[in-house]
Amino acid sequence: MNINTKIETKKEACKIDENTVSINGRGPFCEHPRKENCWIYNGRMPTSNCWVTVVGEYVEISNVKVHNPAERRSGQGSEMVADIRRAFPTHWIWVDTWNCSRGFWKKMKQRGKIDIIANDYPWPCINTTCKVCHSNRIVPARRHFE
Ligand SMILES: [Zn+2]
């Protein structure tokens, strides 16, 4: 990868460079180009990133992405959520969660890394190949909502 490609990639990951900030030593957070009050947390790039929407005392985490499927179950996501907690130690951190990531978020809540799982209804993810969210099988409810 030559230096120009590197710069382009960096711009792509963090579109509004001058608005990059760190919060309590965590960062960079890049202002989302279109969503109000929304910041893209790139402190764990290229492994993972996510969005945080900050409104008053509340911080919503959304769009959590661990980019390499091989690293999905190795704690990368939870490390990133821990970063968000360190950045916002006194805020209420909340999420809406898909059926397939509810287990992860329940763990995060138990460990005090987030405060609230907002949705108490089933919410299938957008990935139609996801077996947890888009299975026709009858799955015992406790697997998802215990
Ligand atoms: Zn799913």
Side-chain angles (χ1 to χ4, degrees):
M1 192 187 285
N2 70 34
I3 186 69
N4 287 328
T5 314
K6 259 187 198 151
I7 290 167
E8 281 311 308
T9 307
K10 212 175 162 196
K11 269 196 217 153
E12 188 57 35
C14 184
K15 287 209 168 70
I16 308 172
D17 235 3
E18 62 269 26
N19 289 332
T20 295
V21 298
S22 75
I23 301 170
N24 290 322
R26 302 288 144 178
F29 288 87
C30 312
E31 194 164 24
H32 193 286
R34 290 175 305 278
K35 272 189 80 178
E36 211 182 336
N37 302 319
C38 183
W39 300 79
I40 303 164
Y41 176 61
N42 282 326
R44 297 269 166 181
M45 283 296 280
T47 305
S48 60
N49 66 352
C50 66
W51 298 358
V52 295
T53 304
V54 185
V55 178
E57 293 296 297
Y58 292 88
V59 175
E60 178 190 7
I61 301 177
S62 60
N63 212 34
V64 171
K65 285 189 177 143
V66 176
H67 299 286
N68 179 354
E71 288 175 351
R72 260 180 210 154
R73 297 200 174 268
S74 58
Q76 305 289 348
S78 87
E79 282 304 306
M80 182 166 65
V81 173
D83 286 353
I84 304 302
R85 169 57 86 198
R86 290 182 196 110
F88 300 97
T90 61
H91 282 67
W92 294 93
I93 298 178
W94 69 278
V95 298
D96 273 332
T97 180
W98 292 323
N99 301 350
C100 54
S101 44
R102 182 167 285 262
F104 170 79
W105 289 115
K106 284 175 80 89
K107 230 185 288 169
M108 294 301 101
K109 193 180 168 197
Q110 278 162 15
R111 294 178 191 169
K113 290 178 181 176
I114 65 163
D115 299 294
I116 302 162
I117 295 174
N119 64 313
D120 55 6
Y121 48 85
W123 185 21
C125 70
I126 54 175
N127 173 8
T128 52
T129 67
C130 171
K131 288 202 170 71
V132 174
C133 296
H134 302 278
S135 171
N136 293 323
R137 286 183 303 138
I138 309 289
V139 182
R142 64 185 161 80
R143 263 189 65 190
H144 302 157
F145 309 112
E146 67 191 355

